[in-house]
């Protein structure tokens, strides 16, 4: 029997969350699709992997064993993919990932000027794939916004910036000069709660179990469409909020939570001198921007 790596990834997601809804949200697929894939995997392996009740999901003994074996298998497959993709790009290509609201052109231009035969590309990332593109080889180095899983990565801090709540214009808090995170306790968040742990810790809908897991929304543009329609709010770094200005959405500073931290991330197994050269270029530019006038 050939093991389907995609089904294994789905299984690991459910095993880690022990909740089909949250796992489906993390995978950006519909929950019924995920359930069908898990049932198909159980049929192929001729083993029940989860005990499911209305209250809880738990691994069976077979599921526990599969989880132990699946993680190194998936890691090996990911490593193979990274090596192949890097080889396909060749040594004369260098790709930089960046999150919305961040401008990377000054650093990429310096690198390109120093190496005229080098093709320097950029790739826009999102909250859910900003480290994945580093680990799967799509980019050589990436501007990421914390928090991220730093396993397998080298991280270099660059800068920090305030976080704001994006709200529809008619929201009761829209006219405020500043708010606290507790003001948002009764609001619905239109993004992964792990991206805003301060909200997650005080959210009424999570504490009471009355909220549904957020529907996967990949882009800032789509999030802001939902904000404008009154479906909820998002918490954004200031640069992202100002970059995506629109007339039917406003933003208000959140005064009592920490800033968003921007870092450079790259695969800690790589020793490419170009990566370290770019990191030094970007770091120097960030220091110049933050230096007192």
């Amino acid at each position: 029997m050939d093991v389907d790596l995609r089904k294994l990834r789905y299984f690991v997601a459910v095993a880690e969350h022990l909740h089909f809804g949250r796992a489906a949200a993390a995978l950006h697929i519909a929950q019924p699709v995920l359930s069908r894939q898990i049932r198909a995997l159980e049929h192929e392996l001729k083993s029940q992997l989860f005990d499911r009740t209305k209250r809880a999901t738990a691994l069976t003994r077979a599921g526990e064993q599969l989880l132990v074996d699946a993680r190194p298998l998936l890691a090996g497959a990911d490593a193979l993919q990274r090596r192949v993709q890097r080889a396909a790009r060749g040594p004369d290509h260098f790709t930089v990932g960046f999150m919305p609201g961040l401008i990377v052109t000054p650093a990429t231009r310096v690198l390109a000027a120093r190496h005229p035969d080098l093709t320097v590309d950029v790739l826009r990332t999102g909250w859910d794939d900003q480290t994945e593109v580093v680990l799967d080889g799509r980019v050589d180095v990436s501007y990421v916004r914390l928090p991220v899983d730093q396993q397998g990565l080298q991280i270099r801090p660059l800068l920090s910036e305030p976080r704001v709540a994006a709200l529809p214009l008619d929201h009761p808090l829209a006219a405020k000069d500043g708010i606290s995170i507790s003001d948002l306790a009764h609001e619905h968040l239109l993004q992964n709660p792990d991206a805003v742990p301060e909200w997650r810790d005080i959210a009424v809908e999570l504490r009471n179990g009355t909220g549904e897991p957020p529907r996967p929304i990949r882009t800032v543009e789509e999030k802001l469409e939902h904000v404008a329609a009154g479906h909820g709010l998002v918490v954004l770094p200031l640069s992202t909020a100002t970059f995506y200005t629109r007339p039917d959405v406003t933003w208000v500073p959140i005064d009592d939570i920490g800033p968003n931290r921007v870092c450079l991330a790259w695969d800690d197994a790589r020793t490419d001198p170009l990566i370290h050269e770019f990191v030094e270029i970007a770091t120097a530019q960030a220091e110049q921007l933050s230096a007192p006038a």
Side-chain angles (χ1 to χ4, degrees), residues 20 22 31 38 48 96 107 115 132 181 189 201 224 243 252 275:
F20 275 74
R22 287 194 290 269
Q31 184 173 331
I38 295 300
Q48 182 178 344
V96 178
H115 302 274
E132 179 183 313
I181 192 65
L189 196 70
D201 294 340
L224 293 179
F243 186 84
V252 180
I275 292 177

Side-chain angles (χ1 to χ4, degrees), residues 111-170:
L111 185 69
R114 290 184 182 180
H115 302 274
D117 295 330
L118 182 70
T119 299
V120 181
D121 294 321
V122 295
L123 176 69
R124 181 190 185 278
T125 64
W127 278 107
D128 300 313
D129 67 355
Q130 57 177 331
T131 57
E132 179 183 313
V133 297
V134 177
L135 295 173
D136 68 17
R138 279 178 281 171
V139 305
D140 296 285
V141 64
S142 192
Y143 290 72
V144 301
R145 294 189 183 276
L146 300 187
V148 298
D149 182 354
Q150 299 185 21
Q151 183 175 357
L153 299 174
Q154 288 284 337
I155 298 288
R156 172 73 66 86
L158 274 187
L159 55 94
S160 61
E161 58 179 316
R163 287 184 287 169
V164 302
L167 305 166
L169 284 180
D170 59 354

Side-chain angles (χ1 to χ4, degrees), residues 211-271:
E212 292 294 324
R215 185 179 69 82
I217 303 176
R218 296 300 301 270
T219 68
V220 176
E221 295 90 341
E222 188 180 0
K223 289 184 176 77
L224 293 179
E225 286 290 339
H226 284 275
V227 169
H231 297 159
L233 63 86
V234 293
V235 175
L236 300 173
L238 178 59
S239 65
T240 305
T242 55
F243 186 84
Y244 288 92
T245 298
R246 50 184 291 167
D248 50 359
V249 172
T250 189
W251 52 264
V252 180
I254 306 174
D255 298 328
D256 60 349
I257 64 174
N260 175 247
R261 291 180 291 160
V262 177
C263 299
L264 288 173
W266 65 99
D267 190 329
D268 66 4
R270 297 190 61 191
T271 58

Side-chain angles (χ1 to χ4, degrees), residues 42-115:
E42 290 177 325
H43 178 75
E44 292 168 6
L45 296 176
K46 298 180 173 58
S47 301
Q48 182 178 344
L49 302 175
F50 295 99
D51 284 325
R52 297 180 66 180
T53 68
K54 291 183 178 180
R55 293 182 176 271
T57 298
L59 284 165
T60 63
R61 290 182 63 184
E64 291 173 351
Q65 183 61 55
L66 181 60
L67 183 60
V68 170
D69 293 332
R71 282 173 169 154
L73 180 61
L74 292 173
D78 290 341
L80 180 150
Q81 184 183 42
R82 292 197 299 269
R83 290 192 293 269
V84 170
Q85 289 179 336
R86 287 174 190 146
R89 287 207 312 268
D92 56 348
H93 281 75
F94 190 88
T95 303
V96 178
F98 67 97
M99 285 285 287
L102 298 176
I103 297 175
V104 302
T105 309
T108 58
R109 290 184 66 179
V110 170
L111 185 69
R114 290 184 182 180
H115 302 274

Side-chain angles (χ1 to χ4, degrees), residues 186-216:
H186 291 271
E187 302 290 339
H188 176 63
L189 196 70
L190 295 166
Q191 63 199 111
N192 188 332
D194 290 340
V196 194
E198 301 91 345
W199 176 89
R200 181 192 59 205
D201 294 340
I202 54 93
V204 171
E205 69 178 22
L206 295 184
R207 186 168 63 245
N208 296 340
T210 57
E212 292 294 324
R215 185 179 69 82

